[in-house]
Amino acid sequence: MILELDCGNSLIKWRVLGGESSCGGVVDSDVALLETLRALVGLVLSGCRLVSVRSDAETSALVALLEAEFGAPVLCAQPTPSLGGVRNGYLEYERLGLDRWLAVVGAYQLAGGACLVLDLGTAVTSDFVTAAGEHLGGYICPGLPLMRNQLRTHTRRIRYDDVAAELALHSLQPGRSTVEAVERGCALMLQGFVLTQVELARERWGADFTLYLTGGDAALVREALPQARLVSDLVFIGLAQACPMPEVR
């Protein structure tokens, strides 16, 4: 059985491959991860692979915890100029976020040709990959959480909780309250960004490309992009390329 981890700054996405069935989830700390894994009946790990955007010290601490707990090797994805048939398009390849890089590699594995990858999380990123596997680079803009928090921080009268925010997004009609106006306005900004990315891809490739959506807020733009393929585990697909292990059993 193999444990895969996508370690962000605040959350850890995990999944276990092998055994009778795969399982996974999201936790908010190293301690919560260990508690969750300990509760899995029959968990015997042959190895672990992870991608982390945390500091080196934080990543090393997690690796030490996992090795002590399960006695299995832990492989960490590293920046590379090329992987899985994709050539990193950044001028300094090591500066491209590892999770973003692996999502690009994962998308290319699925598409086998030109693709546009839209990842909607805390930040929203787009990446363009040619049919030959040339990563052309992409764009980054604030995601819904960042836009919302900036308005809350810098505008004194914008105050509402997360429950109200979720309810406001049940429609994109003009808002009749502050929470509706803010949440729906930010959602429309996201839609505008992703639609522009699709137009840029069409200018370059016509209709001959595959569009992938991933990230926690992908559902907010799904309706505007009916042709998109929603794939939540693009990073893990790329991670398997970065850290190959023996066949899962």
Side-chain angles (χ1 to χ4, degrees):
M1 303 168 78
I2 294 175
L3 172 65
E4 297 183 323
L5 301 174
D6 178 3
C7 305
N9 291 307
S10 57
L11 298 175
I12 300 174
K13 185 177 180 181
W14 66 273
R15 75 176 184 181
V16 174
L17 302 179
E20 295 183 359
S21 62
S22 299
C23 58
V26 178
V27 293
D28 60 4
S29 68
D30 296 358
V31 172
L33 175 65
L34 288 182
E35 290 177 348
T36 300
L37 295 175
R38 286 167 180 161
L40 297 179
V41 177
L43 178 65
V44 179
L45 295 180
S46 60
C48 171
R49 54 190 172 209
L50 66 83
V51 55
S52 174
V53 297
R54 298 174 166 190
S55 69
D56 291 342
E58 291 173 314
T59 301
S60 296
L62 176 57
V63 169
L65 283 174
L66 293 169
E67 290 178 338
E69 180 73 23
F70 299 105
V74 179
L75 302 182
C76 298
Q78 301 295 327
T80 54
S82 64
L83 179 65
V86 183
R87 289 177 296 281
N88 193 313
Y90 262 32
L91 298 176
E92 299 176 80
Y93 71 86
E94 65 276 8
R95 300 297 297 273
L96 178 62
L98 263 176
D99 52 349
R100 182 177 162 199
W101 170 233
L102 294 184
V104 168
V105 171
Y108 189 73
Q109 298 306 303
L110 296 178
C115 56
L116 169 60
V117 184
L118 299 173
D119 189 342
L120 288 90
T122 303
V124 177
T125 62
S126 69
D127 285 281
F128 297 74
V129 185
T130 70
E134 190 73 34
H135 174 230
L136 302 177
Y139 300 89
I140 304 174
C141 77
L144 186 60
L146 286 178
M147 287 192 282
R148 176 192 295 137
N149 290 338
Q150 283 296 302
L151 284 169
R152 285 176 174 176
T153 300
H154 296 288
T155 308
R156 292 183 180 180
R157 296 197 176 192
I158 295 181
R159 295 289 184 271
Y160 54 85
D161 59 26
D162 291 340
V163 174
E166 184 176 349
L167 291 173
L169 287 172
H170 287 173
S171 166
L172 290 180
Q173 292 297 312
R176 303 186 68 181
S177 66
T178 298
V179 61
E180 289 180 352
V182 169
E183 292 298 314
R184 295 172 188 180
C186 290
L188 288 174
M189 286 190 71
L190 289 187
Q191 287 193 7
F193 176 83
V194 300
L195 289 171
T196 298
Q197 304 309 300
V198 173
E199 285 305 309
L200 290 173
R202 285 175 176 160
E203 290 174 6
R204 184 177 294 273
W205 297 313
D208 193 17
F209 70 97
T210 306
L211 173 60
Y212 289 100
L213 282 179
T214 192
D217 284 331
L220 293 177
V221 301
R222 184 69 178 89
E223 189 173 333
L225 299 170
Q227 76 276 34
R229 300 184 184 181
L230 182 60
V231 183
S232 62
D233 59 355
L234 281 179
V235 170
F236 286 146
I237 295 171
L239 180 60
Q241 293 288 314
C243 302
M245 287 184 166
E247 184 178 349
V248 178
R249 296 176 181 176

